[in-house]
């Protein structure tokens, strides 16, 4: 089985280190960036199984980075795990994001992160553009 690869973007160095550490403990290869530009460059050079994006970033938001990832040939259908400490923001993003996505509320446990990325990498996750009302019926 080949190693699973995660692309991580968070502008908080401590959170970036924590996410990277948790993922590596779970057997993932991780490329971590403090901003979207370098992450987009990496996504154009090699394939990833999942992108993990903080919603609130300096510069482009995680949502904007996810939209730009869709235009990168090697990353067009990459599932995204959005992270934030602001749950109300996440609901808005998930309702308008067109692709497979999940949301993880900060702070989180290692097990929750690994479960979420494993689910997305295996083809699970929400089709985030499905209206919330339809998902809850």
């Amino acid at each position: 089985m080949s190693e699973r690869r995660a692309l991580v973007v968070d502008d908080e160095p401590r959170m970036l280190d924590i996410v990277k550490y948790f993922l590596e403990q779970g057997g993932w290869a991780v490329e971590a960036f403090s901003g979207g530009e370098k992450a987009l460059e990496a996504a154009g050079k090699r394939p990833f199984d999942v992108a993990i994006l903080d919603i609130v970033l300096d510069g482009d938001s995680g949502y904007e980075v996810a939209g730009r990832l869709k235009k990168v040939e090697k990353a067009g259908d990459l599932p995204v795990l959005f992270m934030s400490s602001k749950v109300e923001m996440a609901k808005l993003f998930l309702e308008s994001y067109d692709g497979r996505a999940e949301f993880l509320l900060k702070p989180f446990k290692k097990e929750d992160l690994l479960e979420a990325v494993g689910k997305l990498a295996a083809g699970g996750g929400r089709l985030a553009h499905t209206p919330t009302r339809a998902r809850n019926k």
Side-chain angles (χ1 to χ4, degrees):
M1 181 175 170
S2 65
E3 191 171 44
R4 299 174 299 178
R5 301 178 51 78
L7 178 70
V8 181
V9 181
D10 196 312
D11 59 351
E12 295 176 40
R14 180 156 166 69
M15 183 55 68
L16 200 59
D17 289 344
I18 290 168
V19 172
K20 185 176 185 209
Y21 177 76
F22 283 174
L23 289 170
E24 287 172 344
Q25 290 293 304
W28 286 78
V30 180
E31 289 193 43
F33 302 94
S34 60
E37 289 303 318
K38 295 284 186 188
L40 290 163
E41 284 179 31
K45 294 177 183 174
R46 27 200 180 277
F48 290 90
D49 297 294
V50 67
I52 303 167
L53 307 173
D54 185 26
I55 292 175
V56 179
L57 297 168
D58 289 336
D60 288 345
S61 71
Y63 183 72
E64 291 166 326
V65 173
R68 291 176 62 198
L69 276 170
K70 291 187 149 305
K71 297 175 184 169
V72 175
E73 185 177 331
K74 292 184 182 197
D77 61 350
L78 190 63
V80 177
L81 176 63
F82 290 108
M83 304 183 297
S84 181
S85 59
K86 299 172 171 70
V87 72
E88 65 280 354
M89 273 184 122
K91 288 180 182 180
L92 292 172
F93 285 124
L94 284 175
E95 287 176 2
S96 60
Y97 180 71
D98 186 18
R100 275 191 306 119
E102 285 292 338
F103 172 73
L104 193 59
L105 183 64
K106 292 179 183 179
F108 48 81
K109 296 178 183 174
K110 176 175 78 171
E111 295 77 20
D112 295 333
L113 174 64
L114 294 175
E115 180 181 340
V117 295
K119 179 177 167 182
L120 284 167
R126 292 176 244 220
L127 284 173
H129 67 278
T130 305
T132 303
R133 292 179 301 283
R135 282 198 306 259
N136 293 334
K137 287 188 178 182

